[in-house]
Amino acid sequence: MSNKRVTLKARQVSFAWDDTPLHWLPDDPFTTHTINVLHLLLPAGERWFVHVYKQVLPFIRDDRLREDVIGFIGQEAMHSQAHDEVLPHLREQGLDPTPYTAQVDWFFEKLLGDRTLPPGRARQWWLMERVALIAAIEHYTAFLGNWVLNADELDRRGADPTMLDLLRWHGAEEVEHRSVAFELFMHLDGGYRRRARTWATAFTALIFLWQRGARFFMENDPTLLDGKASFKAFYRGGKEGVLPSTGDMLRSIPRYLSRGYHPEQEGDTEQAVAYLATSPAATAAEAREGAAR
């Protein structure tokens, strides 16, 4: 396993959704929609990451870390845009995600947004809380990125290749930049109590928003008469390899909470870079960039 440092760069990818069916994993609406929640959660979340990190840049005292954070900002902005572009395609197929995305937007923009705090300790405290929250969330995006890069069962079951490429391009970049958020938190604050507290907040919020999103999709899917999302179905998907396993997710908790934790424990940089070198969307973006030079 190799985890050498790579220079982070945003890849200007684009995806064509015309041929992607509503149930892009054939005959499995539940898995399709459980993963589809990413398209609803990530745009607002990643815009929020970028917003917070732009406020943090002046406090970074390490040139290499600043360079990594700038690369991270570029990648996250691109992820947000790529997932946003799936939403019109879902609407065309009779599934309007607006009621759910409005809730997610409120969560990130209002609940976790800038507060009208006086300059000084209170404002600095709230900024550090959000930096710690992002580090905790990035633990799970790296976990999911590593999972999807190795989820061969999705290929075996005939998952739509464009959707798989979006998920794996994004997953590979999450693995590629998985250390940045944690290293930034350690550089600016690093307090263990804050790390544990914000992990609990992030984990609870992710589980809540994810199950709510899966339920929203299943109940509003125009092709399903009685669509329901359940933990049992999620657990079964994990056992079958089409979703992350519940056991793996639970085992990731003590890793993050251990005092010796570092994100290099999650995933493999070499595997991520190898995927990005063959990803249809990433190689097309590289070719366009080369032609424009």
PDB file of all heavy atoms in Angstrom, residues 242-264:
ATOM      1  N   VAL A 242     -23.225  -4.403  -2.158  1.00  0.00           N
ATOM      2  CA  VAL A 242     -23.662  -3.272  -2.993  1.00  0.00           C
ATOM      3  C   VAL A 242     -23.772  -1.975  -2.183  1.00  0.00           C
ATOM      4  O   VAL A 242     -23.981  -0.898  -2.738  1.00  0.00           O
ATOM      5  CB  VAL A 242     -24.999  -3.566  -3.724  1.00  0.00           C
ATOM      6  CG1 VAL A 242     -24.796  -4.646  -4.772  1.00  0.00           C
ATOM      7  CG2 VAL A 242     -26.105  -3.948  -2.741  1.00  0.00           C
ATOM      8  N   LEU A 243     -23.648  -2.095  -0.858  1.00  0.00           N
ATOM      9  CA  LEU A 243     -23.604  -0.931   0.038  1.00  0.00           C
ATOM     10  C   LEU A 243     -22.493  -1.173   1.057  1.00  0.00           C
ATOM     11  O   LEU A 243     -22.066  -2.320   1.246  1.00  0.00           O
ATOM     12  CB  LEU A 243     -24.948  -0.759   0.763  1.00  0.00           C
ATOM     13  CG  LEU A 243     -26.128  -0.275  -0.090  1.00  0.00           C
ATOM     14  CD1 LEU A 243     -27.433  -0.397   0.688  1.00  0.00           C
ATOM     15  CD2 LEU A 243     -25.933   1.157  -0.563  1.00  0.00           C
ATOM     16  N   PRO A 244     -22.018  -0.128   1.727  1.00  0.00           N
ATOM     17  CA  PRO A 244     -21.011  -0.349   2.776  1.00  0.00           C
ATOM     18  C   PRO A 244     -21.587  -1.236   3.876  1.00  0.00           C
ATOM     19  O   PRO A 244     -22.766  -1.121   4.213  1.00  0.00           O
ATOM     20  CB  PRO A 244     -20.738   1.063   3.315  1.00  0.00           C
ATOM     21  CG  PRO A 244     -21.216   1.994   2.252  1.00  0.00           C
ATOM     22  CD  PRO A 244     -22.349   1.298   1.568  1.00  0.00           C
ATOM     23  N   SER A 245     -20.768  -2.117   4.424  1.00  0.00           N
ATOM     24  CA  SER A 245     -21.288  -3.018   5.450  1.00  0.00           C
ATOM     25  C   SER A 245     -21.402  -2.285   6.790  1.00  0.00           C
ATOM     26  O   SER A 245     -20.574  -1.430   7.122  1.00  0.00           O
ATOM     27  CB  SER A 245     -20.414  -4.262   5.586  1.00  0.00           C
ATOM     28  OG  SER A 245     -19.413  -4.063   6.545  1.00  0.00           O
ATOM     29  N   THR A 246     -22.443  -2.641   7.528  1.00  0.00           N
ATOM     30  CA  THR A 246     -22.683  -2.026   8.833  1.00  0.00           C
ATOM     31  C   THR A 246     -21.492  -2.272   9.762  1.00  0.00           C
ATOM     32  O   THR A 246     -21.057  -1.369  10.486  1.00  0.00           O
ATOM     33  CB  THR A 246     -23.974  -2.608   9.450  1.00  0.00           C
ATOM     34  OG1 THR A 246     -25.025  -2.436   8.496  1.00  0.00           O
ATOM     35  CG2 THR A 246     -24.346  -1.902  10.738  1.00  0.00           C
ATOM     36  N   GLY A 247     -20.939  -3.480   9.718  1.00  0.00           N
ATOM     37  CA  GLY A 247     -19.780  -3.813  10.562  1.00  0.00           C
ATOM     38  C   GLY A 247     -18.580  -2.937  10.254  1.00  0.00           C
ATOM     39  O   GLY A 247     -17.917  -2.429  11.174  1.00  0.00           O
ATOM     40  N   ASP A 248     -18.312  -2.720   8.959  1.00  0.00           N
ATOM     41  CA  ASP A 248     -17.176  -1.866   8.575  1.00  0.00           C
ATOM     42  C   ASP A 248     -17.383  -0.434   9.057  1.00  0.00           C
ATOM     43  O   ASP A 248     -16.446   0.230   9.500  1.00  0.00           O
ATOM     44  CB  ASP A 248     -16.988  -1.874   7.052  1.00  0.00           C
ATOM     45  CG  ASP A 248     -16.348  -3.161   6.555  1.00  0.00           C
ATOM     46  OD1 ASP A 248     -15.826  -3.933   7.391  1.00  0.00           O
ATOM     47  OD2 ASP A 248     -16.377  -3.405   5.333  1.00  0.00           O
ATOM     48  N   MET A 249     -18.629   0.033   8.951  1.00  0.00           N
ATOM     49  CA  MET A 249     -18.915   1.400   9.399  1.00  0.00           C
ATOM     50  C   MET A 249     -18.709   1.531  10.910  1.00  0.00           C
ATOM     51  O   MET A 249     -18.123   2.504  11.377  1.00  0.00           O
ATOM     52  CB  MET A 249     -20.343   1.788   9.022  1.00  0.00           C
ATOM     53  CG  MET A 249     -20.531   2.028   7.544  1.00  0.00           C
ATOM     54  SD  MET A 249     -22.231   2.429   7.129  1.00  0.00           S
ATOM     55  CE  MET A 249     -22.361   4.076   7.800  1.00  0.00           C
ATOM     56  N   LEU A 250     -19.168   0.540  11.657  1.00  0.00           N
ATOM     57  CA  LEU A 250     -18.999   0.589  13.114  1.00  0.00           C
ATOM     58  C   LEU A 250     -17.525   0.507  13.503  1.00  0.00           C
ATOM     59  O   LEU A 250     -17.074   1.192  14.417  1.00  0.00           O
ATOM     60  CB  LEU A 250     -19.803  -0.534  13.780  1.00  0.00           C
ATOM     61  CG  LEU A 250     -21.331  -0.389  13.677  1.00  0.00           C
ATOM     62  CD1 LEU A 250     -22.021  -1.623  14.233  1.00  0.00           C
ATOM     63  CD2 LEU A 250     -21.820   0.874  14.395  1.00  0.00           C
ATOM     64  N   ARG A 251     -16.760  -0.309  12.765  1.00  0.00           N
ATOM     65  CA  ARG A 251     -15.318  -0.441  13.080  1.00  0.00           C
ATOM     66  C   ARG A 251     -14.548   0.826  12.758  1.00  0.00           C
ATOM     67  O   ARG A 251     -13.446   1.045  13.279  1.00  0.00           O
ATOM     68  CB  ARG A 251     -14.724  -1.638  12.329  1.00  0.00           C
ATOM     69  CG  ARG A 251     -15.044  -2.979  13.002  1.00  0.00           C
ATOM     70  CD  ARG A 251     -14.293  -4.129  12.337  1.00  0.00           C
ATOM     71  NE  ARG A 251     -14.825  -4.437  11.021  1.00  0.00           N
ATOM     72  CZ  ARG A 251     -15.863  -5.247  10.798  1.00  0.00           C
ATOM     73  NH1 ARG A 251     -16.482  -5.836  11.811  1.00  0.00           N
ATOM     74  NH2 ARG A 251     -16.291  -5.481   9.576  1.00  0.00           N
ATOM     75  N   SER A 252     -15.124   1.677  11.893  1.00  0.00           N
ATOM     76  CA  SER A 252     -14.425   2.930  11.559  1.00  0.00           C
ATOM     77  C   SER A 252     -14.501   3.940  12.705  1.00  0.00           C
ATOM     78  O   SER A 252     -13.720   4.888  12.750  1.00  0.00           O
ATOM     79  CB  SER A 252     -15.015   3.549  10.288  1.00  0.00           C
ATOM     80  OG  SER A 252     -16.250   4.192  10.580  1.00  0.00           O
ATOM     81  N   ILE A 253     -15.436   3.735  13.635  1.00  0.00           N
ATOM     82  CA  ILE A 253     -15.630   4.707  14.727  1.00  0.00           C
ATOM     83  C   ILE A 253     -14.427   4.734  15.671  1.00  0.00           C
ATOM     84  O   ILE A 253     -13.829   5.795  15.889  1.00  0.00           O
ATOM     85  CB  ILE A 253     -16.945   4.436  15.491  1.00  0.00           C
ATOM     86  CG1 ILE A 253     -18.141   4.636  14.561  1.00  0.00           C
ATOM     87  CG2 ILE A 253     -17.059   5.352  16.716  1.00  0.00           C
ATOM     88  CD1 ILE A 253     -19.476   4.180  15.147  1.00  0.00           C
ATOM     89  N   PRO A 254     -14.030   3.578  16.242  1.00  0.00           N
ATOM     90  CA  PRO A 254     -12.877   3.630  17.155  1.00  0.00           C
ATOM     91  C   PRO A 254     -11.584   4.061  16.468  1.00  0.00           C
ATOM     92  O   PRO A 254     -10.694   4.623  17.110  1.00  0.00           O
ATOM     93  CB  PRO A 254     -12.769   2.199  17.699  1.00  0.00           C
ATOM     94  CG  PRO A 254     -13.600   1.353  16.817  1.00  0.00           C
ATOM     95  CD  PRO A 254     -14.639   2.236  16.203  1.00  0.00           C
ATOM     96  N   ARG A 255     -11.486   3.840  15.151  1.00  0.00           N
ATOM     97  CA  ARG A 255     -10.273   4.317  14.442  1.00  0.00           C
ATOM     98  C   ARG A 255     -10.179   5.831  14.544  1.00  0.00           C
ATOM     99  O   ARG A 255      -9.141   6.384  14.885  1.00  0.00           O
ATOM    100  CB  ARG A 255     -10.308   3.878  12.969  1.00  0.00           C
ATOM    101  CG  ARG A 255     -10.014   2.419  12.752  1.00  0.00           C
ATOM    102  CD  ARG A 255      -9.457   2.160  11.357  1.00  0.00           C
ATOM    103  NE  ARG A 255     -10.359   2.545  10.273  1.00  0.00           N
ATOM    104  CZ  ARG A 255     -11.364   1.788   9.818  1.00  0.00           C
ATOM    105  NH1 ARG A 255     -11.633   0.627  10.386  1.00  0.00           N
ATOM    106  NH2 ARG A 255     -12.106   2.196   8.816  1.00  0.00           N
ATOM    107  N   TYR A 256     -11.300   6.523  14.240  1.00  0.00           N
ATOM    108  CA  TYR A 256     -11.261   7.984  14.275  1.00  0.00           C
ATOM    109  C   TYR A 256     -11.063   8.504  15.689  1.00  0.00           C
ATOM    110  O   TYR A 256     -10.406   9.517  15.906  1.00  0.00           O
ATOM    111  CB  TYR A 256     -12.547   8.577  13.673  1.00  0.00           C
ATOM    112  CG  TYR A 256     -12.480  10.084  13.543  1.00  0.00           C
ATOM    113  CD1 TYR A 256     -11.674  10.671  12.567  1.00  0.00           C
ATOM    114  CD2 TYR A 256     -13.175  10.936  14.402  1.00  0.00           C
ATOM    115  CE1 TYR A 256     -11.577  12.050  12.442  1.00  0.00           C
ATOM    116  CE2 TYR A 256     -13.084  12.313  14.289  1.00  0.00           C
ATOM    117  CZ  TYR A 256     -12.280  12.862  13.309  1.00  0.00           C
ATOM    118  OH  TYR A 256     -12.171  14.226  13.196  1.00  0.00           O
ATOM    119  N   LEU A 257     -11.629   7.799  16.664  1.00  0.00           N
ATOM    120  CA  LEU A 257     -11.571   8.273  18.043  1.00  0.00           C
ATOM    121  C   LEU A 257     -10.283   7.863  18.767  1.00  0.00           C
ATOM    122  O   LEU A 257     -10.054   8.297  19.885  1.00  0.00           O
ATOM    123  CB  LEU A 257     -12.797   7.778  18.822  1.00  0.00           C
ATOM    124  CG  LEU A 257     -14.131   8.390  18.362  1.00  0.00           C
ATOM    125  CD1 LEU A 257     -15.287   7.786  19.131  1.00  0.00           C
ATOM    126  CD2 LEU A 257     -14.126   9.909  18.492  1.00  0.00           C
ATOM    127  N   SER A 258      -9.468   7.030  18.125  1.00  0.00           N
ATOM    128  CA  SER A 258      -8.212   6.667  18.788  1.00  0.00           C
ATOM    129  C   SER A 258      -7.270   7.869  18.766  1.00  0.00           C
ATOM    130  O   SER A 258      -7.257   8.652  17.812  1.00  0.00           O
ATOM    131  CB  SER A 258      -7.553   5.471  18.099  1.00  0.00           C
ATOM    132  OG  SER A 258      -6.925   5.890  16.911  1.00  0.00           O
ATOM    133  N   ARG A 259      -6.490   8.031  19.829  1.00  0.00           N
ATOM    134  CA  ARG A 259      -5.613   9.210  19.920  1.00  0.00           C
ATOM    135  C   ARG A 259      -4.534   9.192  18.849  1.00  0.00           C
ATOM    136  O   ARG A 259      -4.007  10.233  18.471  1.00  0.00           O
ATOM    137  CB  ARG A 259      -5.014   9.308  21.328  1.00  0.00           C
ATOM    138  CG  ARG A 259      -6.076   9.722  22.349  1.00  0.00           C
ATOM    139  CD  ARG A 259      -5.503   9.982  23.718  1.00  0.00           C
ATOM    140  NE  ARG A 259      -6.552  10.366  24.660  1.00  0.00           N
ATOM    141  CZ  ARG A 259      -6.958  11.609  24.876  1.00  0.00           C
ATOM    142  NH1 ARG A 259      -6.407  12.609  24.225  1.00  0.00           N
ATOM    143  NH2 ARG A 259      -7.905  11.870  25.765  1.00  0.00           N
ATOM    144  N   GLY A 260      -4.185   8.018  18.368  1.00  0.00           N
ATOM    145  CA  GLY A 260      -3.136   7.929  17.351  1.00  0.00           C
ATOM    146  C   GLY A 260      -3.661   7.955  15.920  1.00  0.00           C
ATOM    147  O   GLY A 260      -2.921   7.663  14.981  1.00  0.00           O
ATOM    148  N   TYR A 261      -4.927   8.323  15.744  1.00  0.00           N
ATOM    149  CA  TYR A 261      -5.541   8.281  14.406  1.00  0.00           C
ATOM    150  C   TYR A 261      -4.848   9.212  13.413  1.00  0.00           C
ATOM    151  O   TYR A 261      -4.458  10.330  13.744  1.00  0.00           O
ATOM    152  CB  TYR A 261      -7.022   8.695  14.513  1.00  0.00           C
ATOM    153  CG  TYR A 261      -7.688   8.925  13.174  1.00  0.00           C
ATOM    154  CD1 TYR A 261      -8.122   7.861  12.403  1.00  0.00           C
ATOM    155  CD2 TYR A 261      -7.869  10.217  12.678  1.00  0.00           C
ATOM    156  CE1 TYR A 261      -8.739   8.071  11.173  1.00  0.00           C
ATOM    157  CE2 TYR A 261      -8.483  10.440  11.455  1.00  0.00           C
ATOM    158  CZ  TYR A 261      -8.909   9.358  10.697  1.00  0.00           C
ATOM    159  OH  TYR A 261      -9.512   9.578   9.485  1.00  0.00           O
ATOM    160  N   HIS A 262      -4.713   8.712  12.180  1.00  0.00           N
ATOM    161  CA  HIS A 262      -4.364   9.565  11.034  1.00  0.00           C
ATOM    162  C   HIS A 262      -5.102   9.014   9.826  1.00  0.00           C
ATOM    163  O   HIS A 262      -5.190   7.784   9.665  1.00  0.00           O
ATOM    164  CB  HIS A 262      -2.847   9.587  10.783  1.00  0.00           C
ATOM    165  CG  HIS A 262      -2.469  10.649   9.786  1.00  0.00           C
ATOM    166  ND1 HIS A 262      -2.532  10.435   8.426  1.00  0.00           N
ATOM    167  CD2 HIS A 262      -2.077  11.943   9.955  1.00  0.00           C
ATOM    168  CE1 HIS A 262      -2.173  11.551   7.798  1.00  0.00           C
ATOM    169  NE2 HIS A 262      -1.904  12.477   8.703  1.00  0.00           N
ATOM    170  N   PRO A 263      -5.632   9.866   8.945  1.00  0.00           N
ATOM    171  CA  PRO A 263      -6.448   9.385   7.822  1.00  0.00           C
ATOM    172  C   PRO A 263      -5.716   8.469   6.841  1.00  0.00           C
ATOM    173  O   PRO A 263      -6.368   7.817   6.023  1.00  0.00           O
ATOM    174  CB  PRO A 263      -6.889  10.681   7.123  1.00  0.00           C
ATOM    175  CG  PRO A 263      -6.787  11.722   8.176  1.00  0.00           C
ATOM    176  CD  PRO A 263      -5.640  11.331   9.041  1.00  0.00           C
ATOM    177  N   GLU A 264      -4.393   8.426   6.888  1.00  0.00           N
ATOM    178  CA  GLU A 264      -3.689   7.510   5.979  1.00  0.00           C
ATOM    179  C   GLU A 264      -4.099   6.063   6.205  1.00  0.00           C
ATOM    180  O   GLU A 264      -3.895   5.214   5.346  1.00  0.00           O
ATOM    181  CB  GLU A 264      -2.174   7.664   6.130  1.00  0.00           C
ATOM    182  CG  GLU A 264      -1.651   8.903   5.437  1.00  0.00           C
ATOM    183  CD  GLU A 264      -0.159   8.849   5.163  1.00  0.00           C
ATOM    184  OE1 GLU A 264       0.492   7.914   5.661  1.00  0.00           O
ATOM    185  OE2 GLU A 264       0.330   9.738   4.455  1.00  0.00           O
TER     186      GLU A 264
END
